[in-house]
Amino acid sequence: MSDTVFALAYGACLLLAVAAGLWLKRVTGTPPARRLSFEEIGYLGGGPVRAAEVALAGLVADNRARVSAAAVTAVGGPDPGTATTPLQRVLLTALARPRDLDALLAVAATSAPARNLGRGLVAAGLLVPPRGRLRRALLAVLPLAVVATTGLVRLVLAGADAWGVAGLAVTGALAVVLLLGPPPVLTRQGALAHERATAGLAPVDPAEVTARHGFARPSASERRPEPARADTAVFDGERVEPIDFPGTSQEPLPRRRRAVVIEPRRWQRRNGWLVAGGWFAGGWLAAELLEGGGDGDHVDFGGFEV
Protein backbone atom coordinates (compact mmCIF):
# COMPACT_ATOMS: atom_id res chain seq x y z
CA MET A 1 0.00 0.00 0.00
CA SER A 2 1.42 3.33 -1.03
CA ASP A 3 1.75 6.22 1.38
CA THR A 4 -0.96 8.26 -0.34
CA VAL A 5 -3.50 5.45 -0.19
CA PHE A 6 -2.64 4.74 3.42
CA ALA A 7 -3.01 8.43 4.33
CA LEU A 8 -6.46 8.62 2.71
CA ALA A 9 -7.62 5.40 4.36
CA TYR A 10 -6.22 6.48 7.72
CA GLY A 11 -7.99 9.86 7.48
CA ALA A 12 -11.31 8.20 6.67
CA CYS A 13 -10.89 5.85 9.62
CA LEU A 14 -10.17 8.81 11.88
CA LEU A 15 -13.40 10.53 10.85
CA LEU A 16 -15.39 7.35 11.50
CA ALA A 17 -13.68 6.88 14.86
CA VAL A 18 -14.51 10.44 15.96
CA ALA A 19 -18.16 10.01 14.93
CA ALA A 20 -18.33 6.71 16.79
CA GLY A 21 -16.76 8.31 19.88
CA LEU A 22 -19.29 11.13 19.93
CA TRP A 23 -22.12 8.61 19.60
CA LEU A 24 -20.71 6.42 22.40
CA LYS A 25 -20.63 9.40 24.75
CA ARG A 26 -24.40 9.65 24.80
CA VAL A 27 -26.66 7.31 26.76
CA THR A 28 -30.06 6.60 25.29
CA GLY A 29 -31.94 6.11 28.56
CA THR A 30 -35.66 5.44 28.87
CA PRO A 31 -38.61 7.83 28.55
CA PRO A 32 -40.34 8.83 31.82
CA ALA A 33 -43.29 6.67 32.77
CA ARG A 34 -45.10 9.54 34.57
CA ARG A 35 -45.25 13.31 34.62
CA LEU A 36 -42.19 14.84 36.23
CA SER A 37 -42.56 17.08 39.28
CA PHE A 38 -41.22 20.62 39.32
CA GLU A 39 -38.37 19.56 41.60
CA GLU A 40 -37.38 16.81 39.18
CA ILE A 41 -37.52 19.24 36.25
CA GLY A 42 -35.32 21.63 38.20
CA TYR A 43 -32.89 18.81 39.00
CA LEU A 44 -32.61 17.96 35.31
CA GLY A 45 -31.98 21.61 34.45
CA GLY A 46 -29.65 22.67 37.26
CA GLY A 47 -28.87 19.80 39.59
CA PRO A 48 -29.70 19.53 43.31
CA VAL A 49 -29.32 23.27 43.95
CA ARG A 50 -32.03 24.04 41.38
CA ALA A 51 -34.27 21.42 42.98
CA ALA A 52 -33.78 23.10 46.38
CA GLU A 53 -34.63 26.46 44.80
CA VAL A 54 -37.85 25.00 43.42
CA ALA A 55 -38.79 23.70 46.88
CA LEU A 56 -38.09 27.12 48.41
CA ALA A 57 -40.18 28.85 45.73
CA GLY A 58 -43.08 26.54 46.62
CA LEU A 59 -42.79 27.53 50.28
CA VAL A 60 -42.73 31.22 49.39
CA ALA A 61 -45.78 30.79 47.14
CA ASP A 62 -47.67 29.06 49.97
CA ASN A 63 -46.71 31.89 52.39
CA ARG A 64 -44.70 29.54 54.60
CA ALA A 65 -41.35 31.27 53.98
CA ARG A 66 -40.20 34.79 53.19
CA VAL A 67 -37.09 35.83 51.29
CA SER A 68 -35.77 39.33 52.04
CA ALA A 69 -32.56 40.28 50.21
CA ALA A 70 -30.26 37.36 51.06
CA ALA A 71 -32.06 36.15 54.22
CA VAL A 72 -34.80 33.53 54.48
CA THR A 73 -37.24 33.31 57.40
CA ALA A 74 -40.17 31.04 58.15
CA VAL A 75 -43.67 32.55 58.27
CA GLY A 76 -45.63 31.60 61.35
CA GLY A 77 -42.84 29.43 62.71
CA PRO A 78 -41.24 26.39 61.03
CA ASP A 79 -43.60 23.42 60.88
CA PRO A 80 -42.07 20.57 58.86
CA GLY A 81 -45.32 18.63 59.10
CA THR A 82 -46.97 21.02 56.64
CA ALA A 83 -44.34 20.42 53.94
CA THR A 84 -45.51 18.92 50.66
CA THR A 85 -42.22 17.32 49.60
CA PRO A 86 -39.22 15.94 51.52
CA LEU A 87 -37.06 18.84 50.26
CA GLN A 88 -39.54 21.37 51.66
CA ARG A 89 -39.46 19.51 54.96
CA VAL A 90 -35.68 19.88 55.07
CA LEU A 91 -35.96 23.60 54.35
CA LEU A 92 -38.55 24.18 57.06
CA THR A 93 -36.47 22.24 59.57
CA ALA A 94 -33.44 24.39 58.77
CA LEU A 95 -35.52 27.58 59.14
CA ALA A 96 -35.74 27.31 62.92
CA ARG A 97 -33.89 30.63 62.75
CA PRO A 98 -33.31 33.08 59.85
CA ARG A 99 -30.77 31.67 57.45
CA ASP A 100 -28.67 33.00 54.60
CA LEU A 101 -30.14 32.08 51.22
CA ASP A 102 -27.06 30.41 49.78
CA ALA A 103 -26.29 28.55 53.00
CA LEU A 104 -29.86 27.28 53.20
CA LEU A 105 -29.79 26.05 49.61
CA ALA A 106 -26.46 24.31 50.23
CA VAL A 107 -27.95 22.46 53.21
CA ALA A 108 -30.95 21.34 51.19
CA ALA A 109 -28.89 20.37 48.11
CA THR A 110 -26.63 18.07 50.15
CA SER A 111 -29.45 16.48 52.14
CA ALA A 112 -30.72 12.93 51.80
CA PRO A 113 -33.95 13.91 49.95
CA ALA A 114 -31.91 15.68 47.26
CA ARG A 115 -29.69 12.62 46.82
CA ASN A 116 -32.75 10.38 46.67
CA LEU A 117 -34.23 12.65 44.01
CA GLY A 118 -31.08 12.26 41.89
CA ARG A 119 -31.01 8.49 42.38
CA GLY A 120 -34.61 8.28 41.24
CA LEU A 121 -33.80 10.16 38.04
CA VAL A 122 -30.82 7.86 37.42
CA ALA A 123 -32.97 4.79 37.97
CA ALA A 124 -35.60 6.22 35.59
CA GLY A 125 -33.00 6.50 32.82
CA LEU A 126 -32.98 10.30 32.72
CA LEU A 127 -29.59 10.99 34.34
CA VAL A 128 -26.16 9.41 33.83
CA PRO A 129 -24.33 8.54 37.09
CA PRO A 130 -20.73 9.75 37.54
CA ARG A 131 -19.25 6.28 37.02
CA GLY A 132 -21.34 5.84 33.91
CA ARG A 133 -19.94 9.11 32.54
CA LEU A 134 -16.40 7.90 33.19
CA ARG A 135 -17.09 4.66 31.33
CA ARG A 136 -18.58 6.61 28.44
CA ALA A 137 -15.52 8.85 28.26
CA LEU A 138 -13.26 5.81 27.98
CA LEU A 139 -15.51 4.22 25.35
CA ALA A 140 -15.39 7.43 23.30
CA VAL A 141 -11.62 7.11 22.72
CA LEU A 142 -11.72 3.35 22.08
CA PRO A 143 -12.28 3.67 18.28
CA LEU A 144 -9.39 6.12 18.07
CA ALA A 145 -7.23 3.67 20.00
CA VAL A 146 -8.00 0.98 17.42
CA VAL A 147 -7.07 3.31 14.56
CA ALA A 148 -3.87 4.37 16.35
CA THR A 149 -2.92 0.72 16.87
CA THR A 150 -3.27 0.08 13.12
CA GLY A 151 -1.05 3.05 12.32
CA LEU A 152 1.51 1.98 14.93
CA VAL A 153 1.69 -1.53 13.47
CA ARG A 154 2.30 -0.16 9.99
CA LEU A 155 4.90 2.23 11.38
CA VAL A 156 6.77 -0.67 12.95
CA LEU A 157 6.55 -2.98 9.94
CA ALA A 158 7.16 -0.47 7.14
CA GLY A 159 9.54 1.77 9.00
CA ALA A 160 9.15 5.29 10.28
CA ASP A 161 7.88 7.80 7.74
CA ALA A 162 6.31 11.24 7.80
CA TRP A 163 2.78 10.02 7.06
CA GLY A 164 2.80 7.50 9.90
CA VAL A 165 4.14 9.93 12.49
CA ALA A 166 1.69 12.67 11.41
CA GLY A 167 -1.22 10.21 11.57
CA LEU A 168 -0.36 9.14 15.13
CA ALA A 169 0.00 12.78 16.20
CA VAL A 170 -3.41 13.69 14.77
CA THR A 171 -4.96 10.63 16.44
CA GLY A 172 -3.55 11.64 19.82
CA ALA A 173 -4.83 15.20 19.42
CA LEU A 174 -8.35 13.97 18.57
CA ALA A 175 -8.32 11.67 21.61
CA VAL A 176 -7.42 14.61 23.85
CA VAL A 177 -10.24 16.70 22.34
CA LEU A 178 -12.75 13.93 22.99
CA LEU A 179 -11.59 13.57 26.58
CA LEU A 180 -11.74 17.33 27.19
CA GLY A 181 -15.43 17.35 26.33
CA PRO A 182 -17.12 15.45 29.21
CA PRO A 183 -20.05 13.15 28.44
CA PRO A 184 -23.49 14.75 28.92
CA VAL A 185 -25.15 14.51 32.31
CA LEU A 186 -28.59 13.89 30.83
CA THR A 187 -29.44 10.88 28.74
CA ARG A 188 -31.10 11.38 25.37
CA GLN A 189 -34.50 10.67 26.89
CA GLY A 190 -33.71 12.89 29.87
CA ALA A 191 -32.81 15.83 27.64
CA LEU A 192 -35.97 15.24 25.60
CA ALA A 193 -38.12 15.07 28.74
CA HIS A 194 -36.61 18.31 30.07
CA GLU A 195 -37.17 20.03 26.74
CA ARG A 196 -40.81 18.97 26.65
CA ALA A 197 -41.39 20.00 30.28
CA THR A 198 -39.98 23.49 29.77
CA ALA A 199 -41.60 24.16 26.38
CA GLY A 200 -44.84 26.01 25.82
CA LEU A 201 -46.29 29.21 27.21
CA ALA A 202 -44.81 31.23 30.03
CA PRO A 203 -45.45 29.49 33.37
CA VAL A 204 -47.56 30.98 36.15
CA ASP A 205 -46.67 28.77 39.11
CA PRO A 206 -43.61 30.18 40.97
CA ALA A 207 -42.21 26.66 41.37
CA GLU A 208 -42.44 26.07 37.62
CA VAL A 209 -40.80 29.42 36.89
CA THR A 210 -37.94 28.52 39.24
CA ALA A 211 -37.62 25.07 37.68
CA ARG A 212 -37.08 26.73 34.29
CA HIS A 213 -34.97 29.75 35.14
CA GLY A 214 -33.72 29.32 38.72
CA PHE A 215 -34.32 31.39 41.84
CA ALA A 216 -33.98 35.14 41.26
CA ARG A 217 -31.43 36.60 43.67
CA PRO A 218 -31.04 40.36 44.25
CA SER A 219 -27.90 41.72 42.65
CA ALA A 220 -25.28 43.68 44.55
CA SER A 221 -26.43 46.93 42.92
CA GLU A 222 -30.01 46.40 44.11
CA ARG A 223 -28.97 46.01 47.75
CA ARG A 224 -29.05 49.42 49.37
CA PRO A 225 -25.95 50.16 51.46
CA GLU A 226 -26.35 51.36 55.01
CA PRO A 227 -26.21 55.16 55.29
CA ALA A 228 -22.92 56.39 56.72
CA ARG A 229 -24.43 59.55 58.20
CA ALA A 230 -27.65 60.53 59.85
CA ASP A 231 -30.53 61.69 57.68
CA THR A 232 -31.25 64.73 59.93
CA ALA A 233 -28.76 67.61 59.71
CA VAL A 234 -28.40 71.40 60.06
CA PHE A 235 -27.44 73.57 57.08
CA ASP A 236 -25.82 76.96 57.76
CA GLY A 237 -25.44 78.05 54.14
CA GLU A 238 -22.03 76.48 53.55
CA ARG A 239 -21.79 73.30 55.60
CA VAL A 240 -24.12 70.42 56.43
CA GLU A 241 -23.81 69.33 60.06
CA PRO A 242 -25.53 66.06 61.07
CA ILE A 243 -27.28 66.34 64.39
CA ASP A 244 -26.11 63.05 65.90
CA PHE A 245 -22.74 62.81 64.15
CA PRO A 246 -19.74 63.79 66.32
CA GLY A 247 -17.32 66.35 65.01
CA THR A 248 -17.74 68.87 62.24
CA SER A 249 -18.10 68.40 58.55
CA GLN A 250 -14.87 68.82 56.61
CA GLU A 251 -16.42 69.13 53.18
CA PRO A 252 -18.02 72.54 52.42
CA LEU A 253 -20.73 72.70 49.85
CA PRO A 254 -19.59 73.64 46.33
CA ARG A 255 -19.85 77.35 45.56
CA ARG A 256 -21.30 78.85 42.44
CA ARG A 257 -18.75 79.79 39.82
CA ARG A 258 -20.36 83.15 39.09
CA ALA A 259 -23.11 85.27 40.59
CA VAL A 260 -26.56 84.87 39.16
CA VAL A 261 -27.89 88.27 37.98
CA ILE A 262 -31.56 88.56 37.20
CA GLU A 263 -32.11 91.22 34.55
CA PRO A 264 -35.43 92.45 33.13
CA ARG A 265 -36.25 91.60 29.60
CA ARG A 266 -35.45 94.08 26.87
CA TRP A 267 -39.05 94.91 26.07
CA GLN A 268 -39.70 95.56 29.75
CA ARG A 269 -36.65 97.87 29.92
CA ARG A 270 -37.81 99.86 26.84
CA ASN A 271 -41.30 100.11 28.24
CA GLY A 272 -39.85 101.59 31.44
CA TRP A 273 -38.03 104.33 29.49
CA LEU A 274 -41.25 105.19 27.66
CA VAL A 275 -43.17 105.42 30.90
CA ALA A 276 -40.48 107.61 32.45
CA GLY A 277 -40.42 109.89 29.41
CA GLY A 278 -44.20 110.17 29.46
CA TRP A 279 -44.21 111.13 33.11
CA PHE A 280 -41.50 113.73 32.48
CA ALA A 281 -43.34 115.27 29.55
CA GLY A 282 -46.64 115.28 31.40
CA GLY A 283 -45.08 116.95 34.45
CA TRP A 284 -43.44 119.65 32.33
CA LEU A 285 -46.69 120.45 30.53
CA ALA A 286 -48.60 120.57 33.80
CA ALA A 287 -46.00 122.93 35.25
CA GLU A 288 -46.30 125.23 32.22
CA LEU A 289 -50.06 125.36 32.61
CA LEU A 290 -49.99 125.97 36.34
CA GLU A 291 -47.22 128.57 36.34
CA GLY A 292 -48.84 130.57 33.52
CA GLY A 293 -46.07 130.50 31.03
CA GLY A 294 -48.05 132.59 28.49
CA ASP A 295 -51.73 132.61 27.68
CA GLY A 296 -53.35 129.69 29.33
CA ASP A 297 -55.93 129.41 26.59
CA HIS A 298 -53.38 128.94 23.84
CA VAL A 299 -50.78 126.22 24.45
CA ASP A 300 -48.46 125.05 21.72
CA PHE A 301 -48.23 121.23 21.44
CA GLY A 302 -45.63 120.72 18.75
CA GLY A 303 -47.14 123.15 16.23
CA PHE A 304 -50.76 122.58 17.22
CA GLU A 305 -52.53 125.29 19.21
CA VAL A 306 -55.29 124.43 21.59
Side-chain angles (χ1 to χ4, degrees):
M1 182 183 296
S2 63
D3 294 342
T4 305
V5 176
F6 172 77
L8 293 176
Y10 195 86
C13 291
L14 281 180
L15 292 178
L16 293 176
V18 171
L22 293 176
W23 181 79
L24 288 173
K25 273 189 174 184
R26 300 300 300 268
V27 180
T28 303
T30 55
R34 57 174 177 81
R35 184 177 180 180
L36 299 177
S37 65
F38 292 145
E39 291 181 359
E40 291 174 334
I41 297 172
Y43 200 109
L44 291 177
V49 176
R50 178 71 62 83
E53 291 176 349
V54 173
L56 180 59
L59 292 177
V60 174
D62 296 338
N63 198 24
R64 284 180 288 176
R66 180 182 295 110
V67 179
S68 177
V72 185
T73 55
V75 177
D79 187 5
T82 61
T84 307
T85 63
L87 266 181
Q88 290 184 352
R89 192 173 300 112
V90 171
L91 290 173
L92 288 178
T93 303
L95 286 178
R97 56 182 178 83
R99 300 290 298 269
D100 180 73
L101 176 60
D102 294 332
L104 179 66
L105 293 177
V107 170
T110 56
S111 62
R115 292 194 297 268
N116 294 334
L117 190 64
R119 293 192 187 102
L121 293 174
V122 170
L126 303 177
L127 278 180
V128 183
R131 292 183 179 179
R133 297 179 66 202
L134 179 60
R135 289 194 299 268
R136 289 289 170 172
L138 295 177
L139 286 176
V141 298
L142 184 59
L144 286 176
V146 173
V147 175
T149 303
T150 304
L152 185 61
V153 169
R154 182 186 181 278
L155 193 64
V156 172
L157 296 178
D161 58 350
W163 288 107
V165 175
L168 290 177
V170 172
T171 305
L174 291 176
V176 171
V177 170
L178 283 179
L179 290 176
L180 287 178
V185 179
L186 303 182
T187 62
R188 290 188 178 92
Q189 294 297 331
L192 184 60
H194 181 264
E195 181 180 356
R196 290 175 178 174
T198 55
L201 299 176
V204 179
D205 195 312
E208 186 177 359
V209 175
T210 308
R212 293 191 182 190
H213 309 290
F215 200 87
R217 293 174 172 81
S219 61
S221 60
E222 295 177 356
R223 300 176 184 176
R224 297 180 179 178
E226 295 294 332
R229 295 180 177 234
D231 295 333
T232 306
V234 177
F235 177 60
D236 62 355
E238 293 185 357
R239 300 170 184 264
V240 177
E241 304 293 342
I243 292 178
D244 58 346
F245 188 81
T248 59
S249 175
Q250 302 298 328
E251 296 183 1
L253 293 178
R255 300 179 179 274
R256 294 191 180 98
R257 296 183 179 179
R258 58 185 181 85
V260 178
V261 180
I262 302 177
E263 298 180 354
R265 297 180 181 178
R266 294 183 178 179
W267 66 270
Q268 292 179 344
R269 187 164 58 248
R270 288 197 299 266
N271 190 27
W273 284 110
L274 292 176
V275 171
W279 278 106
F280 178 77
W284 179 74
L285 293 175
E288 289 290 331
L289 291 175
L290 292 176
E291 292 178 2
D295 190 0
D297 295 334
H298 301 279
V299 182
D300 185 8
F301 288 95
F304 298 92
E305 293 183 356
V306 179

